[in-house]
Amino acid sequence: MSSLTADIGQFLENVKYEDLPVEVLPMVRDAFTDTVAVVMVGLDQPVTEIVRRTLVEPASVAEARACLSDRLVSAPNAALLAGAIAHSLDYDDQSMSGHPSAVLVPAILAEAEVLGSTGKDMVTAYVAGYEVWCELWRRDRNYHAKGWHPTSVFGSMAVAAAGAVLHRLPAERAAAAVAIAGSHAGGLFSNFGSMMKGYHAGMAARFGLEAARLAAAGMSAGVDAIENKQGFLMAFSTDRTPDLTSESKLGKEWYLPKHKLQFKLHPTCYFLHRSFNGTVKMLAGREVNPEDVESVEVRMGRSQVTVLVYEQPQNRWEAEFSGQHGIAAAVILGKMGVPELADEVVQRPDFQAFYPKVKLIPIDDVDERDPVFSSYESVKLTLRSGEVIDSGPILSVPGQADQPLTTEEMWGKFRECTALTHSENEARELFDTLQRIDSLSSVNELPTRVGLFESNFASNVH
């Protein structure tokens, strides 16, 4: 096999907007749209002020808009801030064991502002980064089991690839960008259930841009940094058996049409969405008192159970990774939006009493659409009376690859996410502009939200 690192560089030099599969373009437009939405709804999260005041503003030069506000910071720091916010509520899209858009979109929007990139440049960079993520990810997929967060492991590599495209680096320099990013990759699974999980996305966005900038400036890196027996793939491998030998598929076939983005209608880990939705549908039209529930058995993929580690969550971050909270929200409230993940809801006595009734049962089944999922889930609820209510196989939810959100569903989420930051007319203008991202002559066509971090927003974003 030729050098995988070099093959990646060659792909990044050659990729062009005109070569992208036409069928993925609406999905990429939705990726930019959805990511901006979840940045706006996450502005009031504690991580926003911590990262902004501690890291972003003190060390910044005026290069790019922070979260499309009128406040200018360096492009890597704009990527850091928006990436950390985008993933703070776990409301962003999902694919390939992670959250690609929360990393790629903030970085691309920031660097495009510095470079004067067009919308077609931004979309091409996004797809290029996504394809590189897939090419690396397919070679050993069980990263959660070793304790890694794939979003920040592959995110830095994907952003470096996207940055190389935006900078129009030649193949040798583009390969160096990805090799440099390999030394920045990381992020611990043990930080799930805390502010650090969201920060991982911002960290990867910043480091990926810095890797591309270093490569553009002439920084050298290992020419086989990815496939070396002591390189990137081996370092992050669960059992030290990554695929180091198969030929790269980059430039020969496209991953995105097969491994599609999955958009969320609930601000939690995607692994608990199907069981939540299935339970809501199963109980529709019934009056079930939570106190009358004896037990709930939820069957889902073993990889999913590995991630949903909080059986008795105590705050919103833990609830995002709790199958128990998803079922409790379905039975007690019948909904699971941002308000239903608040600490005061998670800590309610009726929720805390319900959590021990829910048992997650792992099944050894794989969904080829995204192998970290099982192909189906099921929920069996047993009442104290002895009655059993069974969901049957739950195959999909709105937003999953085979059930994409409609434009109106995407707008509904976007409007909800921007309710505290934009008027309806402002939100609609931003939404419509994002929906035609690849037709823009410049990222500056995206409207600026003046005063987003100022005192007049204090009640909302501080």
Side-chain angles (χ1 to χ4, degrees):
M1 141 177 183
S2 60
S3 166
L4 176 58
T5 309
D7 284 348
I8 290 173
Q10 197 65 56
F11 167 72
L12 296 175
E13 178 184 5
N14 294 334
V15 65
K16 294 178 177 60
Y17 177 83
E18 291 72 24
D19 298 331
L20 306 181
V22 175
E23 67 269 26
V24 308
L25 297 179
M27 197 187 326
V28 177
R29 294 172 194 136
D30 282 347
F32 278 86
T33 304
D34 187 71
T35 304
V36 170
V38 297
V39 169
M40 295 304 163
V41 78
L43 281 167
D44 65 348
Q45 292 301 298
V47 70
T48 302
E49 287 298 275
I50 293 171
V51 173
R52 183 168 72 89
R53 294 186 182 279
T54 306
L55 297 178
V56 171
E57 292 185 347
S60 282
V61 294
E63 287 187 324
R65 290 172 292 173
C67 304
L68 298 180
S69 73
D70 57 341
R71 187 162 296 189
L72 296 178
V73 298
S74 73
N77 279 337
L80 168 67
L81 180 62
I85 298 171
H87 196 43
S88 64
L89 292 169
D90 228 285
Y91 211 175
D92 49 318
D93 61 33
Q94 192 275 338
S95 186
M96 302 174 294
S97 306
H99 304 270
S101 297
V103 182
L104 282 166
V105 170
I108 291 169
L109 290 177
E111 197 74 328
E113 195 160 345
V114 177
L115 298 174
S117 307
T118 67
K120 288 183 178 179
D121 294 334
M122 290 187 279
V123 168
T124 305
Y126 180 96
V127 176
Y130 195 98
E131 295 293 305
V132 168
W133 184 318
C134 276
E135 177 63 42
L136 299 176
W137 162 79
R138 74 171 176 85
R139 294 170 181 271
D140 188 347
R141 295 173 176 174
N142 298 313
Y143 298 93
H144 289 108
K146 194 178 180 183
W148 296 117
H149 183 186
T151 297
S152 44
V153 171
F154 297 109
S156 61
M157 310 293 276
V159 169
V165 171
L166 291 176
H167 281 268
R168 304 183 189 278
L169 297 184
E172 181 265 334
R173 291 288 84 211
V178 178
I180 293 166
S183 287
H184 285 300
L188 297 177
F189 176 86
S190 55
N191 275 321
F192 282 31
S194 75
M195 284 185 246
M196 271 304 297
K197 184 173 188 285
Y199 181 76
H200 286 166
M203 178 179 74
R206 179 175 70 177
F207 287 154
L209 280 192
E210 290 177 345
R213 288 183 168 198
L214 288 169
M219 176 77 77
S220 66
V223 295
D224 63 347
I226 294 173
E227 71 276 13
N228 187 289
K229 290 183 179 180
Q230 293 177 296
F232 173 86
L233 289 170
M234 186 64 78
F236 289 100
S237 173
T238 303
D239 56 9
R240 298 186 61 77
T241 58
D243 174 3
L244 301 178
T245 59
S246 68
E247 293 292 329
S248 167
K249 298 180 182 180
L250 294 170
K252 301 164 189 169
E253 58 183 86
W254 296 96
Y255 289 103
L256 185 50
K258 179 180 178 181
H259 298 293
K260 298 178 180 178
L261 288 166
Q262 304 182 98
F263 296 96
K264 296 182 179 181
L265 290 179
H266 310 291
T268 69
C269 177
Y270 207 57
F271 287 167
L272 59 87
H273 285 209
R274 278 193 294 182
S275 57
F276 166 80
N277 276 42
T279 303
V280 171
K281 287 185 177 180
M282 180 177 75
L283 298 180
R286 298 184 62 115
E287 291 289 339
V288 174
N289 187 327
E291 295 181 358
D292 293 334
V293 175
E294 179 70 32
S295 64
V296 185
E297 292 182 349
V298 182
R299 286 172 169 77
M300 61 173 61
R302 190 171 297 277
S303 294
Q304 296 167 250
V305 175
T306 298
V307 172
L308 300 178
V309 295
Y310 292 100
E311 298 179 357
Q312 192 85 24
Q314 298 299 313
N315 55 52
R316 71 152 303 109
W317 295 300
E318 293 181 356
E320 290 173 2
F321 298 92
S322 172
Q324 284 74 14
H325 184 79
I327 299 301
V331 173
I332 298 171
L333 301 176
K335 56 184 178 178
M336 190 169 60
V338 173
E340 288 75 41
L341 272 292
D343 289 357
E344 54 266 31
V345 175
V346 177
Q347 296 163 3
R348 276 172 40 172
D350 54 344
F351 272 74
Q352 290 292 318
F354 196 89
Y355 294 147
K357 300 179 181 182
V358 182
K359 182 178 181 181
L360 306 186
I361 301 173
I363 59 175
D364 292 310
D365 177 81
V366 173
D367 188 341
E368 284 306 315
R369 296 171 298 182
D370 192 337
V372 295
F373 288 85
S374 53
S375 62
Y376 72 96
E377 296 172 29
S378 66
V379 178
K380 184 173 74 173
L381 187 148
T382 302
L383 301 179
R384 295 190 187 279
S385 65
E387 180 184 359
V388 175
I389 309 172
D390 197 321
S391 69
I394 308 167
L395 303 177
S396 186
V397 292
Q400 201 163 352
D402 63 344
Q403 196 177 342
L405 299 182
T406 65
T407 301
E408 282 309 303
E409 287 174 322
M410 185 65 73
W411 161 246
K413 176 181 175 180
F414 191 91
R415 183 63 196 120
E416 173 197 324
C417 288
T418 57
L420 297 180
T421 58
H422 293 70
S423 70
E424 182 156 0
N425 287 339
E426 291 168 337
R428 190 77 218 195
E429 179 188 7
L430 180 57
F431 177 86
D432 290 343
T433 307
L434 288 162
Q435 285 283 286
R436 56 179 184 87
I437 186 75
D438 45 339
S439 72
L440 304 185
S441 61
S442 163
V443 71
N444 291 323
E445 291 185 43
L446 292 174
T448 299
R449 186 63 180 97
V450 175
L452 194 61
F453 294 105
E454 303 305 330
S455 57
N456 57 312
F457 282 93
S459 61
N460 297 331
V461 298
H462 290 283

mmCIF file of all heavy atoms in Angstrom, residues 289-310:
data_model
loop_
_atom_site.group_PDB
_atom_site.id
_atom_site.type_symbol
_atom_site.label_atom_id
_atom_site.label_comp_id
_atom_site.label_asym_id
_atom_site.label_seq_id
_atom_site.Cartn_x
_atom_site.Cartn_y
_atom_site.Cartn_z
ATOM 1 N N ASN A 289 -49.545 6.039 35.338
ATOM 2 C CA ASN A 289 -48.968 6.690 36.505
ATOM 3 C C ASN A 289 -47.555 6.139 36.721
ATOM 4 O O ASN A 289 -47.379 4.917 36.835
ATOM 5 C CB ASN A 289 -49.832 6.409 37.734
ATOM 6 C CG ASN A 289 -49.397 7.199 38.950
ATOM 7 O OD1 ASN A 289 -48.209 7.475 39.140
ATOM 8 N ND2 ASN A 289 -50.344 7.558 39.801
ATOM 9 N N PRO A 290 -46.543 7.001 36.763
ATOM 10 C CA PRO A 290 -45.172 6.503 36.954
ATOM 11 C C PRO A 290 -45.022 5.610 38.182
ATOM 12 O O PRO A 290 -44.211 4.677 38.176
ATOM 13 C CB PRO A 290 -44.354 7.788 37.091
ATOM 14 C CG PRO A 290 -45.152 8.824 36.366
ATOM 15 C CD PRO A 290 -46.588 8.466 36.598
ATOM 16 N N GLU A 291 -45.814 5.882 39.221
ATOM 17 C CA GLU A 291 -45.715 5.061 40.430
ATOM 18 C C GLU A 291 -46.237 3.648 40.197
ATOM 19 O O GLU A 291 -45.913 2.733 40.965
ATOM 20 C CB GLU A 291 -46.485 5.724 41.571
ATOM 21 C CG GLU A 291 -45.886 7.063 42.012
ATOM 22 C CD GLU A 291 -46.647 7.682 43.159
ATOM 23 O OE1 GLU A 291 -47.670 7.088 43.585
ATOM 24 O OE2 GLU A 291 -46.235 8.755 43.638
ATOM 25 N N ASP A 292 -47.052 3.472 39.152
ATOM 26 C CA ASP A 292 -47.602 2.141 38.860
ATOM 27 C C ASP A 292 -46.668 1.296 38.006
ATOM 28 O O ASP A 292 -46.974 0.139 37.716
ATOM 29 C CB ASP A 292 -48.952 2.278 38.146
ATOM 30 C CG ASP A 292 -50.026 2.881 39.043
ATOM 31 O OD1 ASP A 292 -49.902 2.743 40.278
ATOM 32 O OD2 ASP A 292 -50.978 3.483 38.505
ATOM 33 N N VAL A 293 -45.546 1.870 37.584
ATOM 34 C CA VAL A 293 -44.594 1.126 36.765
ATOM 35 C C VAL A 293 -43.690 0.302 37.673
ATOM 36 O O VAL A 293 -43.043 0.828 38.583
ATOM 37 C CB VAL A 293 -43.754 2.085 35.903
ATOM 38 C CG1 VAL A 293 -42.678 1.304 35.148
ATOM 39 C CG2 VAL A 293 -44.647 2.856 34.935
ATOM 40 N N GLU A 294 -43.648 -0.999 37.426
ATOM 41 C CA GLU A 294 -42.804 -1.909 38.201
ATOM 42 C C GLU A 294 -41.376 -1.919 37.666
ATOM 43 O O GLU A 294 -40.410 -1.801 38.425
ATOM 44 C CB GLU A 294 -43.373 -3.330 38.133
ATOM 45 C CG GLU A 294 -42.553 -4.384 38.880
ATOM 46 C CD GLU A 294 -42.629 -4.231 40.379
ATOM 47 O OE1 GLU A 294 -43.681 -3.795 40.887
ATOM 48 O OE2 GLU A 294 -41.635 -4.545 41.062
ATOM 49 N N SER A 295 -41.241 -2.040 36.332
ATOM 50 C CA SER A 295 -39.904 -2.108 35.730
ATOM 51 C C SER A 295 -39.985 -1.779 34.249
ATOM 52 O O SER A 295 -41.048 -1.868 33.635
ATOM 53 C CB SER A 295 -39.305 -3.510 35.920
ATOM 54 O OG SER A 295 -40.075 -4.471 35.222
ATOM 55 N N VAL A 296 -38.832 -1.392 33.721
ATOM 56 C CA VAL A 296 -38.712 -1.130 32.281
ATOM 57 C C VAL A 296 -37.421 -1.779 31.794
ATOM 58 O O VAL A 296 -36.347 -1.546 32.356
ATOM 59 C CB VAL A 296 -38.674 0.382 31.968
ATOM 60 C CG1 VAL A 296 -38.673 0.596 30.441
ATOM 61 C CG2 VAL A 296 -39.832 1.119 32.611
ATOM 62 N N GLU A 297 -37.549 -2.588 30.749
ATOM 63 C CA GLU A 297 -36.375 -3.200 30.136
ATOM 64 C C GLU A 297 -36.181 -2.584 28.748
ATOM 65 O O GLU A 297 -37.096 -2.586 27.925
ATOM 66 C CB GLU A 297 -36.544 -4.717 30.004
ATOM 67 C CG GLU A 297 -36.561 -5.440 31.332
ATOM 68 C CD GLU A 297 -36.670 -6.954 31.164
ATOM 69 O OE1 GLU A 297 -36.940 -7.413 30.016
ATOM 70 O OE2 GLU A 297 -36.494 -7.670 32.146
ATOM 71 N N VAL A 298 -34.985 -2.056 28.519
ATOM 72 C CA VAL A 298 -34.659 -1.429 27.239
ATOM 73 C C VAL A 298 -33.526 -2.226 26.601
ATOM 74 O O VAL A 298 -32.440 -2.352 27.175
ATOM 75 C CB VAL A 298 -34.210 0.038 27.429
ATOM 76 C CG1 VAL A 298 -33.918 0.676 26.071
ATOM 77 C CG2 VAL A 298 -35.258 0.827 28.184
ATOM 78 N N ARG A 299 -33.791 -2.760 25.425
ATOM 79 C CA ARG A 299 -32.758 -3.500 24.684
ATOM 80 C C ARG A 299 -32.199 -2.604 23.591
ATOM 81 O O ARG A 299 -32.934 -2.058 22.782
ATOM 82 C CB ARG A 299 -33.344 -4.788 24.102
ATOM 83 C CG ARG A 299 -33.577 -5.851 25.166
ATOM 84 C CD ARG A 299 -34.324 -7.064 24.665
ATOM 85 N NE ARG A 299 -34.282 -8.134 25.654
ATOM 86 C CZ ARG A 299 -35.019 -8.188 26.760
ATOM 87 N NH1 ARG A 299 -35.889 -7.210 27.001
ATOM 88 N NH2 ARG A 299 -34.905 -9.181 27.616
ATOM 89 N N MET A 300 -30.875 -2.500 23.592
ATOM 90 C CA MET A 300 -30.180 -1.688 22.584
ATOM 91 C C MET A 300 -28.773 -2.213 22.418
ATOM 92 O O MET A 300 -28.304 -3.064 23.195
ATOM 93 C CB MET A 300 -30.163 -0.217 22.991
ATOM 94 C CG MET A 300 -29.449 0.064 24.300
ATOM 95 S SD MET A 300 -29.258 1.842 24.687
ATOM 96 C CE MET A 300 -30.932 2.420 24.774
ATOM 97 N N GLY A 301 -28.060 -1.714 21.411
ATOM 98 C CA GLY A 301 -26.724 -2.203 21.098
ATOM 99 C C GLY A 301 -25.734 -2.079 22.244
ATOM 100 O O GLY A 301 -25.788 -1.141 23.037
ATOM 101 N N ARG A 302 -24.823 -3.019 22.283
ATOM 102 C CA ARG A 302 -23.830 -3.040 23.364
ATOM 103 C C ARG A 302 -22.997 -1.755 23.390
ATOM 104 O O ARG A 302 -22.681 -1.227 24.463
ATOM 105 C CB ARG A 302 -22.926 -4.265 23.208
ATOM 106 C CG ARG A 302 -22.006 -4.526 24.388
ATOM 107 C CD ARG A 302 -21.312 -5.871 24.254
ATOM 108 N NE ARG A 302 -22.263 -6.970 24.274
ATOM 109 C CZ ARG A 302 -22.775 -7.514 25.390
ATOM 110 N NH1 ARG A 302 -22.415 -7.037 26.574
ATOM 111 N NH2 ARG A 302 -23.624 -8.512 25.307
ATOM 112 N N SER A 303 -22.648 -1.234 22.226
ATOM 113 C CA SER A 303 -21.877 0.005 22.181
ATOM 114 C C SER A 303 -22.663 1.164 22.769
ATOM 115 O O SER A 303 -22.090 2.056 23.421
ATOM 116 C CB SER A 303 -21.482 0.331 20.739
ATOM 117 O OG SER A 303 -20.591 -0.630 20.228
ATOM 118 N N GLN A 304 -23.967 1.181 22.545
ATOM 119 C CA GLN A 304 -24.800 2.243 23.096
ATOM 120 C C GLN A 304 -24.838 2.181 24.615
ATOM 121 O O GLN A 304 -24.708 3.194 25.300
ATOM 122 C CB GLN A 304 -26.220 2.133 22.521
ATOM 123 C CG GLN A 304 -26.291 2.344 21.027
ATOM 124 C CD GLN A 304 -27.622 1.922 20.461
ATOM 125 O OE1 GLN A 304 -27.720 0.935 19.746
ATOM 126 N NE2 GLN A 304 -28.664 2.654 20.766
ATOM 127 N N VAL A 305 -25.012 0.972 25.146
ATOM 128 C CA VAL A 305 -25.056 0.802 26.602
ATOM 129 C C VAL A 305 -23.729 1.226 27.221
ATOM 130 O O VAL A 305 -23.688 1.803 28.321
ATOM 131 C CB VAL A 305 -25.397 -0.655 26.960
ATOM 132 C CG1 VAL A 305 -25.330 -0.869 28.481
ATOM 133 C CG2 VAL A 305 -26.796 -1.021 26.455
ATOM 134 N N THR A 306 -22.623 0.967 26.507
ATOM 135 C CA THR A 306 -21.298 1.345 27.010
ATOM 136 C C THR A 306 -21.202 2.845 27.247
ATOM 137 O O THR A 306 -20.517 3.297 28.167
ATOM 138 C CB THR A 306 -20.215 0.909 26.005
ATOM 139 O OG1 THR A 306 -20.255 -0.510 25.868
ATOM 140 C CG2 THR A 306 -18.823 1.319 26.475
ATOM 141 N N VAL A 307 -21.894 3.633 26.421
ATOM 142 C CA VAL A 307 -21.812 5.092 26.509
ATOM 143 C C VAL A 307 -22.819 5.661 27.507
ATOM 144 O O VAL A 307 -22.550 6.666 28.173
ATOM 145 C CB VAL A 307 -22.017 5.711 25.115
ATOM 146 C CG1 VAL A 307 -22.125 7.222 25.182
ATOM 147 C CG2 VAL A 307 -20.861 5.304 24.195
ATOM 148 N N LEU A 308 -23.986 5.031 27.635
ATOM 149 C CA LEU A 308 -25.034 5.547 28.531
ATOM 150 C C LEU A 308 -24.755 5.072 29.955
ATOM 151 O O LEU A 308 -25.404 4.171 30.482
ATOM 152 C CB LEU A 308 -26.410 5.088 28.039
ATOM 153 C CG LEU A 308 -26.773 5.546 26.616
ATOM 154 C CD1 LEU A 308 -28.144 4.999 26.210
ATOM 155 C CD2 LEU A 308 -26.757 7.061 26.508
ATOM 156 N N VAL A 309 -23.799 5.708 30.588
ATOM 157 C CA VAL A 309 -23.207 5.186 31.825
ATOM 158 C C VAL A 309 -23.894 5.667 33.103
ATOM 159 O O VAL A 309 -23.642 5.125 34.179
ATOM 160 C CB VAL A 309 -21.713 5.542 31.899
ATOM 161 C CG1 VAL A 309 -20.947 4.842 30.792
ATOM 162 C CG2 VAL A 309 -21.505 7.049 31.794
ATOM 163 N N TYR A 310 -24.773 6.680 33.016
ATOM 164 C CA TYR A 310 -25.323 7.266 34.239
ATOM 165 C C TYR A 310 -26.704 6.687 34.540
ATOM 166 O O TYR A 310 -27.709 7.068 33.951
ATOM 167 C CB TYR A 310 -25.384 8.792 34.119
ATOM 168 C CG TYR A 310 -24.012 9.408 34.092
ATOM 169 C CD1 TYR A 310 -23.421 9.790 32.883
ATOM 170 C CD2 TYR A 310 -23.275 9.567 35.262
ATOM 171 C CE1 TYR A 310 -22.146 10.335 32.853
ATOM 172 C CE2 TYR A 310 -21.997 10.107 35.235
ATOM 173 C CZ TYR A 310 -21.443 10.488 34.034
ATOM 174 O OH TYR A 310 -20.172 11.009 34.012
#
